């Protein structure tokens, strides 16, 4: 399961685009809540450092999606799934990982770090965030797992 840095960046970039398109574009277009990942990143930076320089929250959101979350799939979710459920298809692992990202973001970061209500009070944004994180994980995993499905070159 050797992955190139470019493949990890590609997975993160595509997944972040899908996450933002869904959460900030499509969801409100269809009358549901709009995600505010940069707002959450800003609140987290303020809670940890006491302030947030202009642009830092955007950078945190982008770097998390570009590198941290795809690496979490490769270095945490896949190895754990391989030990517990070795025959589980990567899409099942990705869905579980997306739910884990949702818990991390809305309970860990939003509540424990930024001091907001757990899961943002289980309002409309909570459920949009759940689907957004699952979509993120599915897209990232799809890119990262493609190499394993393609035939080897002679």
């Amino acid at each position: 399961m050797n992955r190139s840095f470019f493949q990890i960046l590609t997975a993160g970039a595509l997944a972040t685009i899908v996450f933002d398109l869904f959460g900030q574009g499509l969801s409100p277009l269809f009358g549901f809540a709009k995600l505010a990942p940069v707002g959450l990143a800003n609140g987290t930076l303020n809670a940890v450092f006491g302030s947030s320089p202009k642009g830092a929250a955007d950078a945190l959101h982008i770097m998390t999606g570009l590198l941290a979350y795809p690496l979490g799939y490769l270095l945490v979710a896949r190895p754990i799934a391989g030990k517990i459920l070795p025959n589980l298809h990567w899409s099942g692992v990705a869905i579980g990982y997306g739910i884990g990202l949702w818990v991390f973001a809305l309970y860990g970061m939003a509540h424990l770090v930024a001091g907001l209500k757990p899961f943002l009070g289980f309002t409309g944004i909570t459920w949009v965030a759940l689907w957004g994180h699952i979509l993120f994980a599915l897209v990232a995993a799809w890119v990262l797992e493609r190499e394993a499905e393609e035939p080897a070159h002679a």
Side-chain angles (χ1 to χ4, degrees):
M1 227 163 105
N2 187 18
R3 301 289 180 261
S4 72
F5 185 66
F6 179 74
Q7 187 179 20
I8 294 166
L9 287 177
T10 301
L14 289 176
T16 301
I17 289 168
V18 168
F19 177 85
D20 284 343
L21 175 64
F22 170 75
Q24 297 178 41
L26 296 176
S27 178
L29 182 66
F30 292 109
F32 299 101
K34 179 179 181 179
L35 294 183
V38 174
L40 177 57
N42 192 51
T44 300
L45 290 170
N46 283 327
V48 172
F49 299 109
S51 67
S52 176
K54 194 170 190 163
D58 292 283
L60 179 59
H61 168 60
I62 291 168
M63 294 309 293
T64 299
L66 207 58
L67 286 173
Y69 282 2
L71 284 172
Y73 175 79
L74 283 176
L75 301 176
V76 179
R78 276 309 260 165
I80 290 172
K83 299 283 186 199
I84 298 171
L85 298 165
N87 295 324
L88 183 63
H89 189 264
W90 65 262
S91 61
V93 177
I95 290 168
Y97 182 59
I99 294 168
L101 291 177
W102 175 71
V103 171
F104 171 76
L106 271 65
Y107 186 78
M109 299 310 291
H111 175 60
L112 297 178
V113 176
L116 301 172
K117 290 181 179 179
F119 296 95
L120 303 176
F122 290 97
T123 59
I125 197 169
T126 305
W127 309 113
V128 174
L130 173 61
W131 287 110
H133 283 91
I134 290 172
L135 282 171
F136 178 97
L138 283 168
V139 170
W142 176 76
V143 172
L144 294 168
E145 299 291 346
R146 285 175 43 93
E147 178 181 291
E149 295 176 359
E150 292 177 2
H153 299 289

